[in-house]
Each structure stands twice: as structure tokens, then as C-alpha cells.
């Protein structure tokens, strides 16, 4: 890694906006004579403490490679002016364009700016590219989406995800944190103002239950032709956002490459699952499009993927088995389609007759892991699927005589009848080893009232025969000889998916049911140019005051209610640069009765502490979500204190009843 430590850091840079507000930034400046191209990372997760450890592993490396790196807190977050009213609002994107213009106009900048980001930062990189600002020349978007309604943490093909509630609590906790008094003398006034103006994000999102204008905003799939700058789209198979890279690859007109590793919801070099060299990928991409070096970045294979194989799946991070493969173009001529047909507990080579009933208990899904696996705690990945398989309706192939490689999105077509007007189906594809261990390859949850129409869903008529084709999430997986492929179906996926309002009996007409598999067959492999092991990178040597610890407990109450409790202590650390001490604790309790989906309940508590010396602050956000057949009921309470005496600053409560429509 060239030029180690050949940069300077500006810790507190103010960036003016046209209306007089200022955004807080950290700037890493390369040594030598400029001007230099710049890399922007623009998100609300607090440069001062929130992402500081992660920022220290990326921006110094990019600065040493000849880039001015600018890490900015979105308005209303960290030490920046203003209020954050929602995700990706118009003000945020207007500010983003103003920031790009400001950076490009600085004497130290060549006028070429790239954006890098994961999750929120990956989203707004694509969204700003959609607006076509002149200074933006390239994007590296990690773990993002092109469609905010069907492929984000609120809804999945019309199913309500419980992360609508959980992420709302997390975001509220982030936004309730105070600015740093060392940066802002008016920190307390600003802190109180932010808390008093804090919206109930989850309730707002739950009021938009169809793909309306609210979700169209910020969804680049509305007009892919508007994204013309080069895009490197990155994600990992342990992450939730596995579909976006190939969607972008298939639809963008500018130079686009897709890179999918084994990683969870983290930058690849920080992954606990098969970490890889992220820096060289980013620097190579930006060297080509911001410095105009002829380094062959555009000649890389269109799609590079880690082809997984069966391993012993655990909720905690364990190494993945597999190899890197590449496709020079996508869709690839190396992919053919193979049909398997649903029979009685089996996948067969010929069409079958008869019916199969899917009527599973409401608590199926506890082996499914978290939606944002790996973002917070160590125990969030999907484990052995046998507990969920035992509660589901499963269809297995015979033991395979030869290895089988899947690459792409499997599609399940079903002909079905239901006995209720609202019904869900959850589809899982699993690799079952000879000793019975079941590993999830892909899955998808679908609200059948929304199928094929996310704008105007319609109730189902009991007894009427319907047909649906369900596209599972992207995958790249090699089943070894002797393994079985399993299709598992259920009516629920708790606690990731909020269940339908009534128990459902879904009857499959087997004559109209088939599984279409994308089979990869290659004579001579293309050189994968796979990411290497992570290179050395700077580390923020935070003082650990309390080590992280996470536990998951399961309990069945006397009345049959199934309970899952997560206790996640994310630890407490002191930043060595400015002494800020911060710590997190999260408690989440999920409960549901297997026979009663309206018994579903989430209770959560988020606690955050932040201070230095005599300046001490604490935030606690508690909330619940319940339902009946007609409505959702959400509560939230914010309580903040200051000083070692924990004097109350702001207490605020919300309570919302929201009609559940066809959810």
C-alpha cells in the first residue's frame, strides 16, 4: 500500500450550504502537490464517534493513494446543523449536490469526485448519481438497493419486515444523540431541539404499505437511464442486499461491475466472514474513473462472485467454503435453466398430480437469522435450518449423483388456493448434507395479495385457483455430490416477517407447481481476479472499557407462547483522539403463539451513553409493536438524561394505531 501515513487530517471542517446551514466533516488530505480527486462518504452515523473506527480503516488508505477524503454528517446528525426528518429526503439529496459542488470547487480538488458508501451511504451514492451532478464521476455502492419498497428493510414483496420497527428504534437512538460540546457551544440547545422534533419513523413507514410515490422517491429503478456514471456494486451473501449488484449490472448503461463475496453487512476488509481486500477494489475503480488511469478496471469480468459450498452454518461468523468465479457478461451464456416439479415431499423430474397443504405454525423462522446480519452483534447469521425445516413443508431431490452449481435467482411457480383473504408464503432453498445439516442458500417472503402488483394489492378469494411466480434472492452455490436440494415452504417467517392476520391453509395444485433453477455450467473458467486477503490498514486504538457480549434465549411459556430474547451489549469505548466515551446496550423480546398470528409482539429497549469527564449523557428508547386482525399498535418512549446525576432532559412518548390493510 503506497504512501503509508502520507496524509494530514482535518478533524473539524465546516461545509457551508446555500441556505446558511453548515455540515460537519472530517477531511483526509494527501501529501504533495494537488489538485487531487476526492472521495465523499455522506451519512448520518456520526463521524465523531459512530463510524470513526471504520472511517479510520478506509479514508487514510485512500488519502495515501492520492485522494482527498471527505466524511460528512448528514444534516441533523452528529455535529451538523439542521434536523433529519426521514431517510433520503429531498433536503438530504439537495444538500448532497451542494456538497459535491463545494468539494469540486476547492483549490485542492481536481473537480472529479467519487462517492463511496455502505447501506445508507450506498443508497445515497446511487440516488445522487440519479440526479446527475456534474462533479460526480464514479460510485462504489455497497449493500444498497435499487427499489426501496420491495428490497429494503421495511417490506419484502408486500410482506412487512419486523425491521420496520427495529430499524426505526435504532435510527431514533442514533438521531437522539447530542453534538459534541468540544465542537458546538450550542450543543444542548441543538440536542433538545433534535429530540423534540424526532419523528416516529416506524409509524411513518408503516403508513405507506404499497409502492407509492413515497417509495418511488430514491428508487433508481424508476429510471435506470439516469444513472450514467461508472458504478461498482458490492455486497455479500451473508448480507440482506444480494439482489442489487446484478439488477444494476443488467440495467445501467454506464460502466458497471458487480462483486459479491461471502461477507455480511460490513465493508469486506472488516467482515467477520472471509474478509477480503476492499481497498484495492475501491482504489482501482476510482483510479480509472477519477484519475483516468488506463488500469483495466473496465475490463474486469462483469460479475465476480464467491461460489459458496456447504459449510456448518452457525449464527456466529464462521469461515465459508467455496471459490471465486467470474462471468464476463451478465446475463451469462453459462447459465441454463432446469425444472424440478413438486411432488409428495419430493422434487421430481416430471409433473406430478394431486395436492399438498401448507399450514405451518406462526413461529417458523427462528433459524433464519437477522435481516441485517452482522451489522451489530456476532450471533445474527442463519444457522442450521433443520428446526425450521421440521415445521415447514419440504420437497427434496434425491441425493445428487454429480455436483450442481446454482447462479442467479431461482423461481418457484405455484398454483394455489387459500382459505383466507390475506396469505403469505415463505420460500427457502437449502443444501442438505448427507448427515442432514440444512444450509439456507436463498429465500423470499411474499404476500400473495401483492403478488405481481405492489401498487394496488387485492384480497384473495377463498377457494379460487391462483398462480404465482416467486423469484428468490440471488445466489451462487455449489451443491456437492451426495447432497440434496431442499425446497421448504411455510406460511410465516417469524421474527423476521410480521405474520398474516389469520392462520392460513394454502393448498398447492401440484400439476401447476415447478421450481426453475439457474444452473451454471462452464467448460473453462474465466480468471476471477478475486479480491485477495485484506491488506494492512490503520486501526483506531480505542480503549475498551466494557467488552461486547450477546446472548439469545428461547422459552416456551405454559400457554404455548414461543419467546425469543436477544440481549446485545455492544460494549463501551473511549476514543483516543478526543476522549469521547460511548456505549450501547440493546434488548429485544419477540413473542408469538404458534396458533395465533395476532399474538405477535416485539418489545425493545435501546440504551446509549455518551460523555467525557463531567459531561455525561444517556438516551433510552423503549417501544412495543402488537396487532389484531385490523390494526397495528406501536408505542415508543424517549428518555434522555445528563450529568452524573442523570438529570432528566427530554421525555417524549408516541402511540400510534395504524390500519394494517392487506399486511
Amino acid at each position: 500500500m503506497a504512501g503509508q501515513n502520507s496524509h494530514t487530517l482535518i478533524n473539524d471542517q465546516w461545509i457551508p450550504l446555500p441556505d446558511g446551514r453548515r455540515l460537519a466533516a472530517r477531511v483526509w488530505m494527501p501529501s504533495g502537490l494537488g489538485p487531487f480527486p476526492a472521495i465523499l462518504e455522506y451519512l448520518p452515523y456520526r463521524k465523531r464517534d459512530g463510524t470513526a473506527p471504520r472511517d479510520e480503516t478506509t479514508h487514510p488508505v485512500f488519502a495515501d493513494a492520492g485522494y482527498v477524503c471527505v466524511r460528512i454528517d448528514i444534516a441533523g446528525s452528529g455535529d451538523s446543523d439542521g434536523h433529519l426528518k426521514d431517510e433520503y429526503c429531498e433536503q438530504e439529496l439537495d444538500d448532497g449536490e451542494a456538497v459535491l459542488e463545494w468539494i469540486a470547487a476547492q483549490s485542492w480538488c481536481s473537480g472529479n469526485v467519487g462517492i463511496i458508501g455502505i447501506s445508507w451511504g450506498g443508497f445515497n451514492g446511487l440516488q445522487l448519481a440519479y440526479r446527475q451532478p456534474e462533479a460526480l464521476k464514479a460510485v462504489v455502492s455497497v449493500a444498497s438497493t435499487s427499489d426501496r419498497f420491495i428490497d429494503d428493510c421495511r417490506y419484502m414483496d408486500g410482506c412487512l419486515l419486523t425491521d420496520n420497527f427495529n430499524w426505526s428504534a435504532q435510527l431514533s437512538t442514533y438521531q437522539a444523540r447530542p453534538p459534541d460540546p468540544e465542537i458546538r457551544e450550542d450543543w444542548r440547545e441543538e440536542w433538545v431541539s433534535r429530540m423534540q422534533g424526532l419523528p416516529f419513523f416506524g409509524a411513518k413507514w408503516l403508513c405507506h404499505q404499497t409502492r407509492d410515490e413515497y417509495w418511488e422517491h430514491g428508487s433508481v429503478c424508476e429510471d435506470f437511464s439516469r444513472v450514467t456514471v461508472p458504478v461498482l456494486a458490492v455486497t455479500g451473501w451473508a448480507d440482506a442486499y444480494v439482489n442489487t449488484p446484478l439488477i444494476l449490472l443488467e440495467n445501467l448503461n454506464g460502466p458497471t461491475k458487480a462483486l459479491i463475496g461471502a461477507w455480511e453487512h460490513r465493508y469486506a476488509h472488516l467482515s467477520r466472514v472471509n474478509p477480503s481486500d476492499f481497498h484495492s477494489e475501491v482504489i482501482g475503480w476510482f483510479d480509472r474513473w477519477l484519475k483516468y488511469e488506463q488500469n483495466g478496471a473496465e475490463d474486469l469480468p462483469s460479475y465476480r462472485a464467491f461460489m459458496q459450498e456447504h459449510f456448518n452454518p452457525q449464527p456466529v461468523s464462521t469461515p465459508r467454503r467455496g471459490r471465486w468465479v467470474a462471468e464476463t457478461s451478465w446475463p451469462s451464456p453459462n447459465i441454463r435453466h432446469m425444472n424440478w416439479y413438486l411432488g409428495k415431499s419430493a422434487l421430481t423430474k416430471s409433473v406430478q398430480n394431486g395436492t399438498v397443504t401448507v399450514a405451518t405454525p406462526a413461529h417458523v423462522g427462528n433459524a433464519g437469522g437477522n435481516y441485517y446480519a452482522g451489522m451489530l452483534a456476532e450471533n445474527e447469521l442463519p444457522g442450521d435450518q433443520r428446526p425450521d425445516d421440521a415445521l415447514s413443508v419440504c420437497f427434496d431431490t434425491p441425493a445428487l449423483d454429480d455436483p450442481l452449481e446454482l447462479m442467479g435467482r431461482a423461481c418457484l411457480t405455484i398454483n394455489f388456493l387459500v382459505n383466507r383473504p390475506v396469505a403469505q408464503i415463505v420460500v427457502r432453498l437449502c443444501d442438505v448434507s448427507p448427515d442432514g445439516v440444512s444450509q439456507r442458500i436463498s429465500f423470499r417472503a411474499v404476500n400473495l395479495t401483492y403478488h405481481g402488483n405492489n401498487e394496488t394489492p387485492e384480497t384473495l378469494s377463498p377457494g379460487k385457483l391462483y398462480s404465482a411466480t416467486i423469484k428468490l434472492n440471488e445466489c451462487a452455490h455449489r451443491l456437492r455430490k451426495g447432497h440434496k436440494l431442499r425446497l421448504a415452504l411455510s406460511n410465516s417467517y417469524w421474527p423476521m416477517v410480521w405474520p398474516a392476520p389469520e392462520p392460513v391453509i394454502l393448498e398447492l395444485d401440484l400439476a401447476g407447481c415447478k421450481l426453475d433453477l439457474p444452473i451454471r455450467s462452464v467448460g473453462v473458467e474465466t480468471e476471477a481476479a478475486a479480491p485477495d486477503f485484506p491488506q494492512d490498514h490503520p486501526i483506531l486504538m480505542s480503549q475498551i472499557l466494557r467488552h461486547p457480549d450477546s446472548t439469545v434465549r428461547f422459552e416456551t411459556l405454559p400457554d404455548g407462547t414461543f419467546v425469543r430474547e436477544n440481549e446485545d451489549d455492544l460494549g463501551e469505548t473511549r476514543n483516543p483522539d478526543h476522549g469521547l466515551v460511548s456505549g450501547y446496550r440493546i434488548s429485544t423480546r419477540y413473542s408469538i403463539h404458534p396458533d395465533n398470528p395476532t399474538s405477535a409482539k416485539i418489545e425493545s429497549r435501546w440504551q446509549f451513553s455518551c460523555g467525557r469527564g463531567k459531561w455525561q449523557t444517556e438516551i433510552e428508547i423503549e417501544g412495543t409493536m402488537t396487532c389484531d386482525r385490523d390494526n397495528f399498535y406501536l408505542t415508543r418512549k424517549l428518555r434522555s438524561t445528563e450529568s452524573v446525576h442523570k438529570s432528566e432532559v427530554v421525555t417524549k412518548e408516541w402511540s400510534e394505531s395504524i390500519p394494517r390493510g392487506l399486511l
Side-chain angles (χ1 to χ4, degrees):
M1 203 166 290
Q4 192 75 13
N5 299 322
S6 57
H7 66 271
T8 57
L9 172 62
I10 303 171
N11 256 318
D12 305 307
Q13 171 73 55
W14 291 103
I15 297 180
L17 295 172
D19 62 4
R21 289 174 299 124
R22 299 183 306 167
L23 300 184
R26 299 179 80 201
V27 179
W28 290 260
M29 191 72 65
S31 64
L33 298 175
F36 306 98
I39 297 174
L40 168 64
E41 189 168 17
Y42 177 58
L43 62 161
Y45 300 148
R46 295 171 60 98
K47 65 176 179 58
R48 189 76 167 160
D49 52 359
T51 64
R54 186 181 81 193
D55 297 340
E56 201 64 31
T57 72
T58 54
H59 295 301
V61 178
F62 302 150
D64 290 343
Y67 293 91
V68 179
C69 294
V70 186
R71 164 67 179 87
I72 297 180
D73 284 338
I74 286 171
S77 66
D79 300 308
S80 293
D81 290 342
H83 290 81
L84 193 150
K85 299 177 182 178
D86 202 354
E87 297 175 315
Y88 324 119
C89 61
E90 193 69 15
Q91 184 67 68
E92 174 188 329
L93 298 178
D94 285 344
D95 291 351
E97 289 196 74
V99 164
L100 288 166
E101 183 178 350
W102 181 89
I103 293 173
Q106 301 308 298
S107 60
W108 40 256
C109 184
S110 67
N112 292 341
V113 186
I115 291 181
I116 186 174
I118 180 172
S119 202
W120 193 308
F123 280 48
N124 62 29
L126 293 177
Q127 292 164 3
L128 285 168
Y130 187 91
R131 296 162 75 101
Q132 301 180 336
E134 182 178 355
L136 182 59
K137 298 298 193 295
V139 171
V140 176
S141 182
V142 183
S144 60
T145 188
S146 62
D147 191 321
R148 294 180 58 214
F149 182 66
I150 68 169
D151 224 3
D152 195 8
C153 67
R154 261 75 54 166
Y155 299 94
M156 180 186 294
D157 287 346
C159 290
L160 174 65
L161 300 176
T162 54
D163 259 36
N164 182 84
F165 176 85
N166 293 333
W167 170 235
S168 170
Q170 185 173 352
L171 180 57
S172 296
T173 309
Y174 285 171
Q175 294 313 117
R177 294 177 290 183
D180 189 340
E182 287 193 352
I183 305 299
R184 299 193 60 143
E185 292 183 358
D186 63 346
W187 72 271
R188 194 178 191 281
E189 177 185 349
E190 187 69 19
W191 183 33
V192 170
S193 176
R194 287 182 187 177
M195 289 188 290
Q196 290 177 338
L198 190 67
F200 195 168
F201 296 110
K204 181 174 186 177
W205 301 332
L206 192 50
C207 288
H208 294 274
Q209 299 177 4
T210 60
R211 197 176 186 285
D212 57 13
E213 291 182 358
Y214 179 83
W215 301 114
E216 291 171 358
H217 172 77
S219 293
V220 299
C221 63
E222 290 300 299
D223 187 356
F224 283 115
S225 68
R226 292 188 55 83
V227 180
T228 58
V229 299
V231 175
L232 174 61
V234 183
T235 193
W237 296 124
D239 203 337
Y241 296 110
V242 295
N243 298 320
T244 306
L246 295 183
I247 290 174
L248 297 177
L249 189 58
E250 292 174 2
N251 290 282
L252 299 187
N253 294 323
T256 308
K257 303 294 181 183
L259 176 66
I260 305 182
W263 319 303
E264 74 276 49
H265 197 70
R266 291 169 172 261
Y267 282 144
H269 67 293
L270 298 175
S271 173
R272 302 182 184 109
V273 181
N274 296 36
S276 302
D277 178 13
F278 180 60
H279 300 99
S280 295
E281 294 291 332
V282 174
I283 292 169
W285 192 251
F286 285 146
D287 281 353
R288 175 64 185 90
W289 305 112
L290 302 186
K291 295 181 179 179
Y292 306 124
E293 295 181 1
Q294 299 300 316
N295 61 4
E298 71 270 38
D299 299 323
L300 287 170
S302 293
Y303 177 28
R304 290 171 290 155
F306 185 76
M307 178 69 70
Q308 298 191 122
E309 293 189 23
H310 197 286
F311 57 91
N312 186 24
Q314 301 287 335
V316 297
S317 303
T318 54
R320 302 289 175 97
R321 292 188 59 174
R323 73 190 196 283
W324 282 91
V325 299
E327 295 292 341
T328 57
S329 62
W330 192 264
S332 169
N334 295 324
I335 307 300
R336 61 184 176 86
H337 289 269
M338 173 190 292
N339 287 335
W340 287 82
Y341 299 90
L342 280 61
K344 301 287 186 179
S345 302
L347 291 172
T348 70
K349 290 292 189 179
S350 59
V351 176
Q352 302 295 299
N353 294 312
T355 62
V356 168
T357 298
V358 181
T360 58
H363 68 303
V364 178
N366 273 281
N370 288 23
Y371 184 82
Y372 281 125
M375 183 170 69
L376 295 173
E378 260 286 352
N379 57 353
E380 300 178 335
L381 297 169
D384 188 341
Q385 298 294 291
R386 279 182 288 187
D388 285 345
D389 292 352
L391 299 172
S392 304
V393 177
C394 296
F395 307 83
D396 290 2
T397 66
L400 297 176
D401 294 328
D402 297 294
L404 187 69
E405 284 193 358
L406 307 179
M407 194 174 202
R409 301 186 73 167
C411 290
L412 175 66
T413 298
I414 56 172
N415 281 1
F416 67 94
L417 303 91
V418 292
N419 67 334
R420 294 288 184 266
V422 177
Q424 299 174 353
I425 186 168
V426 179
V427 184
R428 289 182 291 116
L429 208 57
C430 300
D431 178 347
V432 182
S433 68
D435 58 359
V437 176
S438 180
Q439 176 184 327
R440 195 181 74 189
I441 300 171
S442 181
F443 81 105
R444 198 73 184 171
V446 176
N447 183 336
L448 292 168
T449 70
Y450 284 68
H451 183 69
N453 192 337
N454 287 297
E455 290 79 21
T456 55
E458 297 181 352
T459 57
L460 302 168
S461 298
K464 179 180 177 180
L465 185 65
Y466 291 92
S467 180
T469 298
I470 299 160
K471 292 180 69 173
L472 279 70
N473 293 324
E474 291 284 351
C475 72
H477 188 92
R478 180 179 186 270
L479 291 97
R480 296 195 289 273
K481 178 181 177 180
H483 286 227
K484 297 179 181 179
L485 181 68
R486 172 171 293 165
L487 175 70
L489 305 180
S490 61
N491 306 112
S492 59
Y493 207 49
W494 179 260
M496 187 185 294
V497 177
W498 200 272
E502 298 177 281
V504 171
I505 298 174
L506 185 149
E507 187 175 287
L508 299 177
D509 176 9
L510 295 178
C513 298
K514 68 176 181 179
L515 177 64
D516 182 343
L517 297 176
I519 306 300
R520 182 174 185 267
S521 179
V522 181
V524 179
E525 288 278 10
T526 299
E527 176 63 39
D532 204 342
F533 292 108
Q535 300 187 34
D536 291 337
H537 53 75
I539 298 174
L540 184 67
M541 300 301 293
S542 300
Q543 181 184 359
I544 299 176
L545 305 179
R546 189 179 72 242
H547 287 275
D549 183 42
S550 295
T551 60
V552 181
R553 293 187 296 272
F554 299 97
E555 180 184 8
T556 301
L557 302 182
D559 69 350
T561 297
F562 186 85
V563 177
R564 170 177 170 167
E565 292 183 318
N566 291 30
E567 295 287 343
D568 297 317
D569 183 347
L570 303 185
E572 186 177 58
T573 59
R574 177 183 285 112
N575 186 297
D577 294 337
H578 48 69
L580 201 62
V581 174
S582 56
Y584 255 120
R585 285 189 172 96
I586 309 163
S587 301
T588 311
R589 185 180 191 270
Y590 303 95
S591 59
I592 195 168
H593 193 285
D595 301 329
N596 181 12
T598 59
S599 66
K601 184 177 184 179
I602 308 176
E603 303 163 85
S604 73
R605 181 176 62 180
W606 288 68
Q607 298 169 286
F608 176 76
S609 59
C610 180
R612 180 192 297 109
K614 293 183 179 180
W615 178 68
Q616 298 293 326
T617 64
E618 290 189 5
I619 298 144
E620 182 176 272
I621 290 185
E622 296 180 297
T624 63
M625 180 171 176
T626 59
C627 71
D628 56 28
R629 291 175 59 180
D630 302 311
N631 298 289
F632 295 109
Y633 303 97
L634 291 82
T635 69
R636 181 146 296 159
K637 180 178 180 179
L638 161 68
R639 182 175 181 269
S640 60
T641 65
E642 64 179 335
S643 83
V644 294
H645 303 294
K646 298 188 177 182
S647 303
E648 186 173 295
V649 180
V650 170
T651 296
K652 184 175 180 179
E653 297 187 43
W654 298 262
S655 180
E656 297 281 351
S657 172
I658 299 172
R660 65 183 298 165
L662 296 182
L663 295 178

